[in-house]
Amino acid sequence: QLTMSLNSSTLLNEENAQGARRNTEGLESLLQTPSSFQDNPLQQLQLASQEVLEKAKKSGRSKCPRCNSSRMFYCYTCFVPVETVPTKEIPTVKLPLKIDIIKHPNETDGKSTAVHAKLLAPDDVTIYKYPCIPEYEEKRHEIALIFPGPNSVSVKDITFHLQKYTKKGVCASDDDCCREPLLKQAKIELEEEKNPNEGVSSSRSEGTRLKKIIFIDSTWNQTNKIITDERLQGLLQIELKTRKTCFWRHQKGKPDTYLSTIEAI
């Protein structure tokens, strides 16, 4: 799993080297990619050398530099490579958005793919163990929760729905009084958007408001306790429908569009 994640990061690093924009256009730019690439997103993947992992595999399990636990490749508790995998030889990437991962307390640490995101993008990924999670209400106009449900919207509709959140202001309910600064901000933004049908393109000029995405890391049978938490209520909810999982440990009884955490990220 780590090998796949490391290899995937190589393509992102090369894009950075070529001056590709790594900002809040990230999600929307995916919508502009050719259909052939969307059908097979790994067709242009360029694999980095796996020599560092091959050497570590031959050496066997090694100590975590922080907790001294015996691990293979990385410590899934401390989110760092083990002693036989030099940090300088592991590629890291800069994500266009901040990622919060809420991990179920009963989720087996060694089976979690959320750790791979933290290893490869340590500055942009934060992992919380439920119920110790942040309060999101004040920032819900710039946050999305990735989770399927009856009120979920598609990726392409994120900008439209976030605009509605900004117009309303960040309120506990529709009946609450909205904060004046947000109302003024929304008015200015609406005046700049002369054509409401431009949607994504108009928001690109002023910068997408989406700044953080939340993922839930647990088995599908364990998600109810987290998704019903009052601190996550009122967040824009996104469902990923266009990708099929390639994860080797697919959960029986769930559709193949239900992705592992690292795949969703």
Side-chain angles (χ1 to χ4, degrees):
Q1 300 170 33
L2 177 59
T3 303
M4 291 178 63
S5 299
L6 294 175
N7 293 339
S8 300
S9 70
T10 305
L11 180 59
L12 295 177
N13 277 333
E14 292 217 357
E15 289 175 349
N16 281 332
Q18 295 170 7
R21 290 190 295 270
R22 286 291 169 195
N23 53 27
T24 50
E25 295 178 4
L27 278 179
E28 292 165 358
S29 66
L30 294 177
L31 303 177
Q32 309 299 323
T33 56
S35 58
S36 60
F37 183 80
Q38 291 185 7
D39 294 338
N40 184 10
L42 304 182
Q43 61 179 313
Q44 298 179 9
L45 183 65
Q46 300 181 40
L47 301 183
S49 171
Q50 301 180 42
E51 184 178 359
V52 60
L53 297 180
E54 294 296 338
K55 288 182 178 179
K57 185 177 180 180
K58 292 179 180 178
S59 301
R61 298 169 71 89
S62 180
K63 286 184 178 182
C64 167
R66 293 186 182 177
C67 68
N68 291 321
S69 297
S70 178
R71 301 281 190 258
M72 176 64 80
F73 298 134
Y74 65 95
C75 179
Y76 46 73
T77 304
C78 302
F79 315 136
V80 294
V82 295
E83 292 178 345
T84 54
V85 181
T87 303
K88 63 181 181 180
E89 296 189 41
I90 300 299
T92 58
V93 296
K94 179 66 179 175
L95 301 182
L97 299 162
K98 295 298 182 181
I99 302 293
D100 278 5
I101 300 173
I102 302 175
K103 187 174 175 298
H104 193 282
N106 294 336
E107 174 73 356
T108 304
D109 290 342
K111 292 184 177 181
S112 172
T113 64
V115 182
H116 303 171
K118 182 64 176 177
L119 287 168
L120 297 176
D123 295 334
D124 298 316
V125 175
T126 305
I127 299 178
Y128 298 95
K129 181 169 287 190
Y130 187 83
C132 299
I133 65 174
E135 296 284 350
Y136 293 108
E137 183 177 356
E138 296 293 327
K139 297 287 186 179
R140 71 176 186 177
H141 59 290
E142 58 188 34
I143 297 175
L145 171 65
I146 305 295
F147 196 83
N151 298 320
S152 297
V153 303
S154 64
V155 171
K156 65 183 179 63
D157 293 329
I158 290 177
T159 300
F160 171 74
H161 286 277
L162 281 179
Q163 286 176 350
K164 294 194 298 183
Y165 275 62
T166 303
K167 294 172 189 175
K168 292 180 180 179
V170 187
C171 304
S173 69
D174 292 340
D175 296 331
D176 289 345
C177 293
C178 298
R179 294 177 177 82
E180 186 178 35
L182 282 176
L183 286 175
K184 289 182 178 179
Q185 178 185 358
K187 181 178 180 181
I188 294 173
E189 290 167 348
L190 287 172
E191 290 176 351
E192 290 178 351
E193 294 180 9
K194 301 300 181 182
N195 184 357
N197 295 323
E198 289 179 359
V200 170
S201 60
S202 63
S203 69
R204 181 170 296 177
S205 62
E206 67 185 38
T208 306
R209 300 178 190 88
L210 184 62
K211 295 182 180 179
K212 178 178 288 187
I213 299 183
I214 303 170
F215 294 85
I216 295 177
D217 185 54
S218 75
T219 63
W220 287 104
N221 294 329
Q222 294 174 337
T223 55
N224 187 63
K225 183 176 182 179
I226 297 178
I227 197 62
T228 56
D229 190 288
E230 61 180 10
R231 290 168 291 183
L232 300 181
Q233 304 311 302
L235 293 176
L236 178 62
Q237 203 163 317
I238 311 299
E239 182 171 359
L240 306 179
K241 299 179 180 179
T242 61
R243 298 279 188 234
K244 294 184 178 180
T245 182
C246 296
F247 191 37
W248 63 272
R249 196 170 59 243
H250 176 61
Q251 294 190 40
K252 295 181 180 180
K254 300 298 179 182
D256 55 7
T257 54
Y258 278 27
L259 310 177
S260 66
T261 303
I262 190 62
E263 286 181 307
I265 294 174

